[in-house]
């Protein structure tokens, strides 16, 4: 009996309306990623787990390794990072390749804005970001700078604060993170952060 | 009447009419309503010839009970459960069972023996949880008394009494003695003369003396009520040296453990199903016509014309099913990750439900050493992060036993345990256990840890809303959103108790009755809209 026939046997009269969509299937053993990151990894603000679809493969692999090695998410004050860190601990190198392939195959809507700020001021601030993340904030794979338009705005705010406050990118061996630590210095207040994020929202 | 508190009024009624008058009046006043429970909602089954259908998302206690009542009313139900097992937070583990902690999956290593199990989630049932007890009775779940307090168990705090564990009975007796001494003194100092007649003051003095076991001159000098420091069978009993008032005030026990058996939900005697709390889950499953679909994670919920369409993923494939109604038992904070077409307001309500952090440790002990200390159940309280140690009151005098080595609900404390590795958690628990029972750790054969905020598909227990959110959203979340209704202890005033989950189900089924009337009228009038 095929899986579908078997399910029909189980699923009574609803077989008639039984349809199959074509979203990226979740690989076996990775279902739990979607418990936090949501359907098609669209993100869930209640868990502080960001959208992952739309990020590039190199960046994703680097983050998963950073979590696994304790380069990210190990700071005692990094509540969200330390929620994620153990989730990477069981992934082998080969698994990570597999995981990244799946993440980049997912499709989910670009997150709706939730942060308000002065986007005009943000535009000025963003000029320093554009060098690496691109004028449209779509990221630059060569430089290792991820897309910012792919992300939930609350998560971007959070990460900028973490770079600034020494919760992310602090370790000397974290060369990519260190770039961002330096770059985050341009933002001198939480208001600056909100403003730049408000501007990024206009690019979505 | 106006100036009376309800309690004053009741004591008057009690004095005048005896206890039955008291009971009737209590009910009239809306107190003790839980004793008056009339049974599950009777669902007004629709009369059309097509069998009505319902989707139940999540096989927690609320989902299972809702499905059972709907099936009994003639509904065809599908329960869609994301986990590999039904039951949700009602989880009992035994030899070989998986504890599905994300990032740290564990397999329980207890010996393969019927009496070696651990209730990772719910463990106790008070006599006034009428809904749960209704199902235990009618679905044949045998119960036994669970000792939730033991006066011979300990209280331990590094900062007081030199870190020495104190028997709770000594502490209780001393607290009563010391407070009674204060009452005695102030009564004699005429502090109550404006309030009470001379005769009543005399009664109060007598009461204080008896309550605290005070000497004729109103002093508390220790009491035989807490046992003796020598062999009280063969020697003249010597009572323990009482705690000083100052030391008692400085101790932490009175703002925690002292009230352990005083709260309504913990009032003695408590009960537990024989053989583990999951007997409740098994009972529902025995009585359901259709077993839940497992490993089926809901991904989308859409209100559509005349029904609800739900998409779930199972084995890497997405499937969509449709039914007339949908009862959603999924923890609300997951809903932002699940596609839906709810109103913004409703989704905002769901987002306002915050995760709680509960954490437990359990150890298999090769000997029931606590029984040699006279402890046959109940709880020792610790000022360490472990907070408490529970001793099993079932299977007394058998060879081994499962001891709860930590149970915390303070978010910061639980978060500390969550951040530790498995070994660190077990070691921290053992170290604190050693302070209460020297040698505790030498009896440990293996252990498990259950950080509920990290458990797959649960990620918390004891959901809560800020007061403002509560006022803004709670009632909204009790209402149907289209043909979709939220259930679970999260939609009750009593999150963290199965009774809350069952109450939410009852409330949702009452709402369903209204929808059924509305929809049948619409169908009859030829204006079939949802
Ligand atoms: C440590 C602890 C101690 C407790 N002590 C007691 C006690 O002594 N007495 C007592 O009565 N109660 C106690 N409780 C509370 C009791 O466990 C809960 O109130 C009750 O089990 C909640 O049932 P529920 O149906 O509301 O939700 P849950 O049990 O949370 O059920 C939700 C279900 O939804 C499933 N789900 C999640 N996501 C999806 C998805 N996307 N698709 C499909 N399904 C999904 C979950 O896997 C789960 O099965 C305790 C709980 C804990 C954790």
């Amino acid at each position: 009996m095929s899986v579908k026939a078997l399910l029909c046997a189980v699923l009574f009269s609803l077989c008639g309306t039984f349809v199959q969509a074509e979203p990226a299937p979740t690989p076996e053993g990775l279902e739990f990623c979607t418990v936090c990151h949501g359907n098609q990894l669209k993100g869930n603000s209640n868990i502080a787990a960001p959208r992952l679809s739309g990020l590039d493969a190199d960046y994703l692999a680097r983050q998963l390794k950073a979590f696994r090695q304790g380069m990210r998410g190990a700071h005692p004050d990094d509540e969200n990072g330390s929620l994620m860190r153990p989730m990477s601990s069981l992934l082998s190198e080969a698994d990570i390749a597999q995981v990244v392939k799946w993440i980049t195959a997912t499709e989910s809507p670009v997150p709706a804005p939730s942060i308000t700020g002065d986007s005009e001021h943000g535009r000025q601030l963003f000029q320093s970001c554009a060098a690496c993340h691109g004028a449209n904030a779509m990221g630059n794979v060569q430089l290792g700078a991820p897309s910012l338009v792919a992300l939930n705005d609350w998560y971007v705010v959070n990460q900028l604060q973490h770079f600034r406050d020494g919760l992310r990118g602090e370790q000397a061996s974290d060369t990519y993170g260190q770039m961002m630590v330096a770059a985050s210095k341009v933002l001198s207040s939480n208001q600056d952060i909100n403003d730049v994020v408000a501007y990024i929202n206009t690019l979505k | 009447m106006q100036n009376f508190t309800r309690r004053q009024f009741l004591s008057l009624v009690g004095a005048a009419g005896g206890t039955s008058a008291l009971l009737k009046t209590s009910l009239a006043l809306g107190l003790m309503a839980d004793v008056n429970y009339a049974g599950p909602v009777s669902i007004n089954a629709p009369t059309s010839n097509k069998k009505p259908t319902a989707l139940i998302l999540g096989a927690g206690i609320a989902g299972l009970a809702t499905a059972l009542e709907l099936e009994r009313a003639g509904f065809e139900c599908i329960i869609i459960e994301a986990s590999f097992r039904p039951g949700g937070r009602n989880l009992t583990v035994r030899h070989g069972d998986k504890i599905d902690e994300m990032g740290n999956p564990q397999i329980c290593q207890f010996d393969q023996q019927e009496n070696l199990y651990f209730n990772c989630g719910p463990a106790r049932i008070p006599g006034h949880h009428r809904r749960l007890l209704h199902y235990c009775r009618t679905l044949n779940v045998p119960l036994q008394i669970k000792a939730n307090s033991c006066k011979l168990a300990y209280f331990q705090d590094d900062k007081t009494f030199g870190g020495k564990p104190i028997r709770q009975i000594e502490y209780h007796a001393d607290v009563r003695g010391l407070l009674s001494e204060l009452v005695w003194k102030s009564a004699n100092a005429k502090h109550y003369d404006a309030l009470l007649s001379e005769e009543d003051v005399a009664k109060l003095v007598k009461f204080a003396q008896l309550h605290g076991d005070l000497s004729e001159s109103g002093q508390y000098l220790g009491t035989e009520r807490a046992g003796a420091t020598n062999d009280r069978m063969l020697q003249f009993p010597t009572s323990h040296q009482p705690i000083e008032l100052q030391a008692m005030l400085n101790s932490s026990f009175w703002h925690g453990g002292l009230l352990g058996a005083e709260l309504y939900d913990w009032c003695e005697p408590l009960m537990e199903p024989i053989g583990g709390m999951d007997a409740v889950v098994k009972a529902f499953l025995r009585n359901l016509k259709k077993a839940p679909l497992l490993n089926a994670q809901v991904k989308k919920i859409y209100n559509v014309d005349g029904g609800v369409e739900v998409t779930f993923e199972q084995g890497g494939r997405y499937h969509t099913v449709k039914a007339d109604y949908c009862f959603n038992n999924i923890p609300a904070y997951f809903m932002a990750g699940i596609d839906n077409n709810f109103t913004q307001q409703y989704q905002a309500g769901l987002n306002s439900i915050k995760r709680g952090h509960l954490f437990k440790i359990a150890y298999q002990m090769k000997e029931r050493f606590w029984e040699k200390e006279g402890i046959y159940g109940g709880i020792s309280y610790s000022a360490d992060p472990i907070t408490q140690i529970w001793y099993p009151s079932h299977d007394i005098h058998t060879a081994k036993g499962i001891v709860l080595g930590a149970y915390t609900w303070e978010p910061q404390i639980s978060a500390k345990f969550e951040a530790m590795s498995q070994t660190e958690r077990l070691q921290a628990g053992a170290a604190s256990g050693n302070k209460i029972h020297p040698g505790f750790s030498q009896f440990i054969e293996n252990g498990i840890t259950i950080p509920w905020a990290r458990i797959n598909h649960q990620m918390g227990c004891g959901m809560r809303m800020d007061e403002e959110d509560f006022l803004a959203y709670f009632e909204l979340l009790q209402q149907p959103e289209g043909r979709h209704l939220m259930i679970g202890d999260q939609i009750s005033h009593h999150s963290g108790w199965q009774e809350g989950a069952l109450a939410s189900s009852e409330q949702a089924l009452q709402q369903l009755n209204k929808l059924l009337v509305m929809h049948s009228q619409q169908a009859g009038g030829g204006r079939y809209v949802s």
Side-chain angles (χ1 to χ4, degrees), chain B residues 57-63 80-83 87-90 120-124 129 132 296-298 329-331 334 338 358 360 407 452 457-458 461 488-489 496-499 501:
Chain B
L57 317 183
I61 290 297
I80 304 172
E81 168 56 55
S83 172
R89 275 170 277 160
N90 180 320
C120 299
R124 37 193 182 186
H129 282 191
L132 181 54
Q297 193 186 349
V298 169
N329 195 194
I330 297 172
F334 288 142
I338 294 174
L358 267 56
K360 280 186 180 180
Y407 182 11
W452 277 98
H457 304 301
Q458 296 288 165
C461 178
D489 66 355
W497 289 92
Q498 296 172 97
E499 187 73 358

Side-chain angles (χ1 to χ4, degrees), chain A residues 2-4 7 9-15 17-28 30-48 79 81-90 102 107-109, chain B residues 50-51 53-55 76-78 102-105 290-291 293 297 299-300 309 311-323 332-340 347 350-355 418-419 453-459:
Chain A
S2 74
V3 177
K4 184 165 172 178
L7 270 164
V10 182
L11 295 179
F12 62 82
S13 56
L14 302 180
C15 283
T17 58
F18 204 78
V19 293
Q20 294 198 6
E22 318 274 342
T26 309
E28 198 186 334
L30 295 178
E31 293 87 353
F32 76 102
C33 307
T34 71
V35 170
C36 290
H37 289 281
N39 183 30
Q40 295 293 304
L41 306 173
K42 70 174 187 167
N44 182 343
S45 56
N46 297 325
I47 314 282
E79 202 183 315
S82 51
L83 183 57
M84 175 55 209
R85 190 166 57 87
M87 307 306 151
S88 64
S89 59
L90 301 175
W102 163 53
E107 274 179 43
S108 60
Chain B
K50 187 184 148 276
K51 243 190 164 197
T53 54
L55 300 170
E76 194 92 60
C77 299
I78 306 177
M102 295 186 287
N104 178 36
K290 201 167 286 158
L293 294 178
Q297 193 186 349
K299 301 284 186 181
K300 302 177 189 179
E309 214 169 69
T311 301
F312 62 93
E313 187 177 15
Q314 194 184 37
R317 298 178 68 173
Y318 278 60
H319 307 285
T320 300
V321 288
K322 189 187 158 189
Y333 39 75
F334 288 142
M335 287 307 300
I338 294 174
D339 299 359
N340 64 64
Q347 182 60 52
L350 294 171
N351 292 344
S352 76
I353 298 184
K354 302 284 182 287
R355 295 159 57 209
E418 286 162 16
R454 294 270 172 98
I455 298 293
N456 206 356
H457 304 301
Q458 296 288 165
M459 288 199 67

Side-chain angles (χ1 to χ4, degrees), chain A residues 87-161:
Chain A
M87 307 306 151
S88 64
S89 59
L90 301 175
L91 301 175
S92 68
E93 205 76 7
D95 289 339
I96 288 181
Q98 184 48 53
V99 171
V100 165
K101 218 166 146 193
W102 163 53
I103 299 177
T104 51
T106 58
E107 274 179 43
S108 60
V110 173
S114 67
I115 303 287
T116 49
D118 176 353
S119 61
E120 180 46 35
H121 182 227
R123 193 183 57 79
Q124 293 158 18
L125 290 168
F126 190 76
Q127 305 198 326
S128 71
C129 321
C132 296
H133 289 278
N136 50 13
M138 300 272 270
N140 181 328
V141 179
Q142 274 77 40
L143 296 175
S147 166
L148 301 177
V149 282
L151 298 166
N152 307 85
D153 57 5
W154 45 263
Y155 170 77
V156 173
V157 167
N158 202 263
Q159 295 308 306
L160 290 170
Q161 290 170 348

